[in-house]
């Protein structure tokens, strides 16, 4: 947890954008105090252990999710999909998302971020969105530090996107473009993996985030703030995101993730 900046906000929207039509989550641990340059064409490789979905057994076939709108137009190539994807996400998430989105390698960035959510951290260069503005806020008192409630305000632009996205329409778009997500996941280093299974696993991991009602105590290292409670510090990157964004934002994000998960795995999914 950075003492001046936190880059967890994009993870949240990454999850929403991929899960909701390319969702976020979200995200992160090696960002400089005054920002970080985003390379124009990063090489995205998996930094996590191979997930259980790397087997040939598919747990959540994308054919069981919401049907994509009828269209005879061919899909773009993964390498040439950025303009089409950016336009679609702007329609789904509004101008707010358009201003947050990094417009190069959008699908590979989202896939890499989602893959990393259940792990302990995410490399900054894979993020699909710009990071939250403003300084990370801490309440110092009696030699202790706690997570300030005003941190939630930094996530307001991302939460507006979360609330605007229609889960049914988003998942329908995701189903239509799923071959590109699957290709990006295989290119990431999972030749036998199935991205939709990994996405559902990432959502389930975030939904399992414990609720913390009391002020969250922090400890300071030379560069970062960490959770003082070892059980919180050992949580996944996605779960820590939910804690940092505050209980109200976390509850809203969890509700949207449940809608998305239903549309992704149900035989009677949400209809847009």
């Amino acid at each position: 947890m950075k003492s001046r900046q936190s880059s967890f906000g994009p993870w949240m929207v990454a999850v929403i954008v991929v899960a909701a039509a390319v969702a976020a989550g979200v995200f992160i641990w090696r960002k400089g105090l005054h920002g970080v340059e985003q390379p124009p064409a990063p090489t995205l490789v998996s930094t996590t252990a191979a997930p259980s979905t790397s087997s040939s057994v598919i747990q959540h076939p994308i054919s069981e999710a919401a049907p994509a709108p009828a269209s005879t137009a061919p899909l773009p190539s993964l390498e040439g999909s950025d303009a089409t994807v950016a336009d679609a996400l702007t329609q789904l998430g509004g101008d707010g998302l358009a201003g947050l989105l990094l417009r190069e390698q959008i699908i590979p960035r989202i896939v890499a971020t989602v893959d990393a959510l259940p792990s302990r951290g995410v490399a900054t260069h894979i993020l699909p969105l710009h990071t939250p503005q403003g300084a990370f806020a801490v309440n110092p008192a009696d030699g202790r530090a706690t997570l300030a409630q005003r941190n939630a305000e930094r996530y307001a632009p991302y939460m507006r996107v979360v609330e605007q996205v229609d889960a049914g329409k988003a998942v329908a778009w995701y189903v239509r473009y799923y071959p590109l997500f699957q290709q990006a996941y295989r290119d990431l280093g999972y030749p036998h993996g199935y991205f939709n299974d990994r996405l559902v696993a990432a959502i389930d991991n975030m939904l399992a985030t414990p609720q913390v009602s009391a002020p969250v105590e922090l400890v300071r290292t030379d560069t970062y703030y960490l959770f003082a409670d070892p059980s919180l510090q050992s949580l996944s990157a996605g779960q820590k995101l939910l804690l940092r964004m505050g209980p109200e934002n976390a509850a809203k994000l969890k509700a949207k993730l449940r809608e998305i998960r239903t549309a992704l795995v149900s035989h009677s999914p949400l209809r847009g």
Side-chain angles (χ1 to χ4, degrees), residues 109-133:
R109 286 177 184 270
I110 292 171
V111 168
T113 299
V114 168
D115 179 54
L117 280 171
S119 68
R120 297 293 298 276
V122 179
T124 305
H125 74 276
I126 72 174
L127 305 181
L129 301 176
H130 294 290
T131 57
Q133 297 184 356

Side-chain angles (χ1 to χ4, degrees), residues 61-142:
I62 199 64
S63 60
E64 296 182 1
S71 174
T72 59
L75 292 178
S77 67
L78 178 61
E79 294 76 12
S81 65
D82 284 339
T84 301
V85 170
D87 288 344
L89 294 184
T90 299
Q91 293 179 20
L92 290 165
D95 293 340
L97 180 56
L100 297 172
L101 188 68
L102 293 171
R103 294 174 177 265
E104 296 176 331
Q105 293 193 305
I106 300 173
I107 287 180
R109 286 177 184 270
I110 292 171
V111 168
T113 299
V114 168
D115 179 54
L117 280 171
S119 68
R120 297 293 298 276
V122 179
T124 305
H125 74 276
I126 72 174
L127 305 181
L129 301 176
H130 294 290
T131 57
Q133 297 184 356
F136 177 73
V138 173
N139 290 329
D142 300 326

Side-chain angles (χ1 to χ4, degrees), residues 6-259:
S6 170
S7 54
F8 273 76
W11 298 12
M12 168 184 65
V13 184
V15 170
I16 291 300
V17 171
V18 165
V22 179
V26 198
F27 315 36
I28 266 168
W29 294 98
R30 295 293 180 264
K31 183 182 175 186
L33 292 180
H34 300 290
V36 62
E37 294 183 358
Q38 295 288 349
T43 299
L44 303 181
V45 296
S46 174
T47 57
T48 64
S52 59
T53 57
S54 62
S55 71
S56 59
V57 179
I58 296 175
Q59 298 176 333
H60 303 292
I62 199 64
S63 60
E64 296 182 1
S71 174
T72 59
L75 292 178
S77 67
L78 178 61
E79 294 76 12
S81 65
D82 284 339
T84 301
V85 170
D87 288 344
L89 294 184
T90 299
Q91 293 179 20
L92 290 165
D95 293 340
L97 180 56
L100 297 172
L101 188 68
L102 293 171
R103 294 174 177 265
E104 296 176 331
Q105 293 193 305
I106 300 173
I107 287 180
R109 286 177 184 270
I110 292 171
V111 168
T113 299
V114 168
D115 179 54
L117 280 171
S119 68
R120 297 293 298 276
V122 179
T124 305
H125 74 276
I126 72 174
L127 305 181
L129 301 176
H130 294 290
T131 57
Q133 297 184 356
F136 177 73
V138 173
N139 290 329
D142 300 326
R144 302 168 57 200
T146 58
L147 186 63
Q149 291 184 350
R150 64 182 180 275
N151 273 307
E153 299 173 3
R154 302 174 63 228
Y155 296 98
Y158 305 93
M159 292 308 302
R160 284 193 289 271
V161 173
V162 169
E163 293 172 345
Q164 178 169 340
V165 168
D166 179 280
K169 292 179 180 179
V171 171
W173 183 89
Y174 167 67
V175 171
R176 159 117 171 101
Y177 280 77
Y178 184 76
L180 303 187
F181 288 94
Q182 182 63 27
Q183 179 183 342
Y185 190 51
R186 289 174 176 168
D187 292 347
L188 190 63
Y190 302 107
H192 305 294
Y194 194 70
F195 178 67
N196 199 51
D197 283 351
R198 187 59 172 171
L199 175 57
V200 173
I203 292 174
D204 287 344
N205 178 263
M206 294 185 74
L207 291 177
T209 304
Q211 290 185 331
V212 180
S213 56
V216 180
E217 188 171 352
L218 308 172
V219 293
R220 174 72 184 271
T221 68
D222 291 340
T223 309
Y224 303 93
Y225 279 102
L226 306 176
F227 291 109
D229 185 339
S231 67
L232 299 183
Q233 184 58 35
S234 65
L235 295 175
S236 71
Q239 291 172 332
K240 288 177 180 176
L241 161 63
L242 288 174
L243 294 183
R244 295 178 192 216
M245 63 192 300
E248 183 176 350
N249 285 339
K252 292 179 180 179
L253 180 55
K254 281 186 174 183
K256 182 66 71 173
L257 290 175
R258 291 188 186 98
E259 291 182 27

